[in-house]
Amino acid sequence: GPARGRALASDRKRYAPSLVSPDQGRRGRPGKGGSGGAAGPVVTARRALLAFGVLFAALFAIVAIAVGIGDPSIPSGDAILVENAPGDTGNVSVADVEHAIEIAAAGQGSKKAPKPGDPKYEETKEEAEKQLLEAVWIQGVAAEWGIEVTDQEIAKELKKVKKESFKSEAEFEKFLKESHYTPADVNERVKIQILSQKLQEQLQEKAPKPSQGEIEDYYEAAKATQFTQKPSRDVRVILNKDEKKAEDAFAALSKDNSAKNWSKVAKKYSEDPATKTTGGLRKAVQEGTLEEPLDGKVFAAPEGRIEEPVKVSSGYYVFEVVSSTPESVQELKTVESQIEATLTQQLEQEYFTS
C-alpha cells in the first residue's frame, strides 16, 4: 500500500499541501476511488451513499501522509503521486483535484467551487486532497491484504443504497447534480465502502483476542470507577436564603412530614426551582455530589426524620431522607462481555496500527 505521497508538479504548486492527515469516515476519490465532500443540499439519510467505511475507519484516529513538493518524477498532468499504490490509483491528476474541490465545495453548501485567491480556496483544496489520498490509502491496504471487489458486488450494493436512500431514480439524479458526483464517482464511492467493510472483517479475524486474564485485570483496575455505583438517597429538601424562613419550614414539617404537607411547605418556602413544585423531592442523590456540610449530613441522617436547617453558600437547607440505596458493585460475569468488546477494539486498533 502507499507509504507516502510525493511531490506536486512545479507548475501546479497551487495544489501542494505540506501535510495531509486523512480524517476517518469521510469521502474518497472520483474516477479512482471516490472524492471529498458530501452533498449539502440532500437530506441526511442519503449520506448512506457517502459513508466511508465508518466501522473500519473508527479503529484509528489519524493517518498522516507526508507530501513532498517539486519532485521531477511526477507524470505530466498529475498533481500528486502516491508511491507503491496498486495500479494507477496513486496517480492523482490535476483534473481529479479540481473535481474533488467541486465536490468538497458542494459538501460545504457552495454552488460553485472557490477560485485560487479566495479565502475558502485553500481550505476546500486541502479537504479535497485529504479525501483523494484517503481513498488511495484504503485501496493500498486492501491490495496488501488481498481484498478485491467485483463489478457485481458494486452493482448490488449501489442498488441497495439507492433503494434505501432515494424515493425514485429522479431523486437520485437530482442528488448527483447537486453534489457534483458523476455515476463513475458513485461507483467508486461504493467500491471504497465495500473495501472498507471487507477490511474491517479481516481485521477482526487477524487481530488477537483478549485473554481471560486480561479481562479480569481490566475489571479489577476499573471496578472502583466504572463498575461501582455509589450510595444514593431520595431526599426532600427546602432551600431558602433567609434563616428565619428556613426555621419556619422546619417547624411546619416537624408537625407533619407527610408528602402532602411537604408539597404545601415547599411551595411556600422553597427557593429551589428544581424541587419547589415537586414537594421538595430529589431522587437518587449520589454521595459526594452535594455541597458540604449538607452532603455529609444527608448521608448520615436516618430515614423519615426532618433535619434542622443546614447552612451552605446558597442559603439554608431543611431536608428529610426518604429512602436509601447502598453502594453496589457489578460482578465480573455481568460486565464480562462489555469488557471483552472494549479490549477487542483496542487490540484491533493496536494490530492495525502496527
Side-chain angles (χ1 to χ4, degrees):
R4 69 184 192 277
R6 297 179 60 195
L8 292 162
S10 58
D11 60 339
R12 295 291 182 179
K13 285 186 179 179
R14 64 193 176 105
Y15 292 109
S18 57
L19 180 70
V20 179
S21 303
D23 299 328
Q24 69 268 34
R26 291 210 185 167
R27 289 153 285 280
R29 174 184 183 184
K32 294 180 182 177
S35 182
V42 298
V43 295
T44 303
R46 297 176 196 165
R47 292 181 184 272
L49 181 63
L50 307 181
F52 190 80
V54 173
L55 289 176
F56 175 62
L59 296 176
F60 54 90
I62 295 177
V63 177
I65 303 176
V67 180
I69 299 178
D71 192 293
S73 66
I74 300 295
S76 176
D78 280 358
I80 302 170
L81 173 63
V82 182
E83 292 184 333
N84 303 321
D88 66 347
T89 58
N91 296 85
V92 183
S93 71
V94 171
D96 289 336
V97 176
E98 290 175 342
H99 183 48
I101 290 173
E102 289 181 350
I103 292 176
Q108 295 167 356
S110 302
K111 293 184 178 181
K112 293 184 178 180
K115 300 295 183 182
D118 187 313
K120 288 186 65 67
Y121 176 78
E122 287 300 322
E123 176 187 343
T124 307
K125 174 175 69 69
E126 182 177 348
E127 173 71 12
E129 287 169 340
K130 285 181 181 180
Q131 311 317 323
L132 289 167
L133 287 170
E134 196 172 51
V136 177
W137 174 74
I138 287 289
Q139 292 176 92
V141 177
E144 282 186 348
W145 289 13
I147 297 174
E148 297 179 347
V149 177
T150 65
D151 292 340
Q152 290 77 14
E153 287 177 298
I154 293 173
K156 181 179 178 181
E157 182 66 17
L158 179 56
K159 182 178 180 181
K160 177 184 175 182
V161 170
K162 289 171 70 173
K163 182 178 180 180
E164 292 175 349
S165 303
F166 300 92
K167 295 179 181 179
S168 65
E169 186 65 26
E171 195 174 68
F172 176 67
E173 292 297 328
K174 181 182 179 182
F175 157 75
L176 295 182
K177 182 178 180 180
E178 291 174 340
S179 64
H180 294 279
Y181 273 85
T182 67
D185 294 338
V186 172
N187 284 334
E188 291 302 320
R189 293 285 303 120
V190 174
K191 175 185 175 182
I192 293 297
Q193 176 69 19
I194 296 173
L195 285 175
S196 297
Q197 291 169 347
K198 290 187 175 184
L199 281 165
Q200 169 71 10
E201 292 167 3
Q202 276 207 23
L203 182 61
Q204 291 173 342
E205 294 175 3
K206 293 184 177 199
K209 306 303 178 187
S211 67
Q212 185 63 30
E214 289 173 320
I215 292 173
E216 291 172 0
D217 288 345
Y218 182 100
Y219 172 76
E220 289 301 325
K223 182 164 63 174
T225 56
Q226 192 172 343
F227 305 119
T228 298
Q229 185 72 27
K230 290 184 177 182
S232 66
R233 293 189 160 192
D234 288 354
V235 186
R236 291 190 186 276
V237 299
I238 287 176
L239 169 66
N240 200 294
K241 294 178 182 178
D242 189 311
E243 184 178 10
K244 177 64 168 60
K245 290 182 179 179
E247 290 175 347
D248 289 343
F250 170 72
L253 291 168
S254 295
K255 296 176 182 177
D256 178 7
N257 68 341
S258 65
K260 183 177 181 180
N261 196 45
W262 259 100
S263 179
K264 178 181 177 181
V265 175
K267 287 180 181 179
K268 181 177 181 180
Y269 292 107
S270 185
E271 296 176 338
D272 179 13
T275 61
K276 183 179 179 68
T277 59
T278 62
L281 185 62
R282 293 180 63 174
K283 290 189 175 183
V285 177
Q286 286 195 348
E287 187 174 11
T289 61
L290 298 174
E291 183 180 355
E292 291 292 2
L294 179 63
D295 191 86
K297 290 185 176 295
V298 165
F299 285 88
E303 295 179 13
R305 187 177 76 188
I306 305 299
E307 299 294 327
E308 293 184 351
V310 179
K311 188 179 186 306
V312 294
S313 61
S314 54
Y316 295 84
Y317 271 101
V318 175
F319 72 90
E320 175 190 4
V321 177
V322 178
S323 62
S324 304
T325 302
E327 176 182 275
S328 63
V329 180
Q330 292 177 283
E331 295 182 5
L332 174 59
K333 63 182 180 181
T334 65
V335 296
E336 190 167 349
S337 60
Q338 174 188 338
I339 294 173
E340 183 178 12
T342 299
L343 290 176
T344 296
Q345 187 176 29
Q346 291 177 359
L347 290 171
E348 287 176 356
Q349 181 171 347
E350 290 170 5
Y351 176 84
F352 183 77
T353 302
S354 68

